[in-house]
Amino acid sequence: MMTYNKLVRDKIPQIIEADGKECKIRVLNDEEYTIALKTKLQEEMNEFLEAKERNEQIEELADLLEVVYSFARSQGTTMEELEYIRKTKHDERGGFEKRFMLLTTN
C-alpha cells in the first residue's frame, strides 16, 4: 500500500479504480485546501524546474497553471480578474520578453 497524503486532480480516484486498484480519499476543508494548493504549487514548480525536454516543460507549465487557477478560484477570484491583474501589471511594468537582467542600481 502506497501512502501519498497529497492533493490530486479530481479524476485521479476514478483513474485508480479503473486500473483495478482501490484508493482512500477525504475532502479537505477550506484551510486544508489552501495549504494543500500551496504545497501542490511548490511540487509542480519543482517538477517544472527538473524537466529537461521542451514538451515536458510545457506539460509542467500547464500543471502549474491548473494549480494557480484552482488557488485563485478558492480565494474567490475569477480567471478574468486574475488575467486583468496580470495584464494591468504587464501594461504598467512590462513583461519579461526583453530578457533584461538588472545588475546594479545607484
Side-chain angles (χ1 to χ4, degrees):
M1 176 173 287
M2 299 284 295
T3 301
Y4 293 96
N5 291 322
K6 70 177 193 173
L7 185 66
V8 295
R9 289 176 178 263
D10 298 341
K11 294 183 181 180
I12 294 300
Q14 287 175 262
I15 293 168
I16 291 169
E17 290 172 356
D19 197 31
K21 299 177 184 175
E22 294 181 13
C23 65
K24 185 176 178 182
I25 61 168
R26 75 178 180 87
V27 177
L28 303 175
N29 65 35
D30 290 345
E31 184 178 338
E32 292 171 321
Y33 184 50
T34 297
I35 293 167
L37 282 168
K38 289 179 179 182
T39 301
K40 190 63 156 180
L41 187 61
Q42 184 65 57
E43 175 189 323
E44 296 298 345
M45 177 58 77
N46 291 340
E47 290 176 6
F48 168 73
L49 293 172
E50 293 169 8
K52 303 290 185 223
E53 302 295 323
R54 179 192 177 280
N55 288 347
E56 186 182 7
Q57 292 170 350
I58 300 303
E59 287 274 334
E60 295 304 335
L61 280 176
D63 288 346
L64 274 166
L65 279 175
E66 187 64 39
V67 178
V68 167
Y69 292 165
S70 293
F71 188 85
R73 281 190 298 271
S74 78
Q75 300 302 304
T77 301
T78 65
M79 296 310 96
E80 294 79 17
E81 186 176 3
L82 187 62
E83 179 58 19
Y84 173 79
I85 293 167
R86 186 207 64 79
K87 175 130 179 37
T88 300
K89 290 182 97 170
H90 184 276
D91 292 347
E92 292 173 358
R93 303 185 67 139
F96 300 96
E97 293 83 16
K98 293 185 179 181
R99 305 177 185 193
F100 291 157
M101 171 77 65
L102 182 62
L103 302 177
T104 64
T105 64
N106 285 328

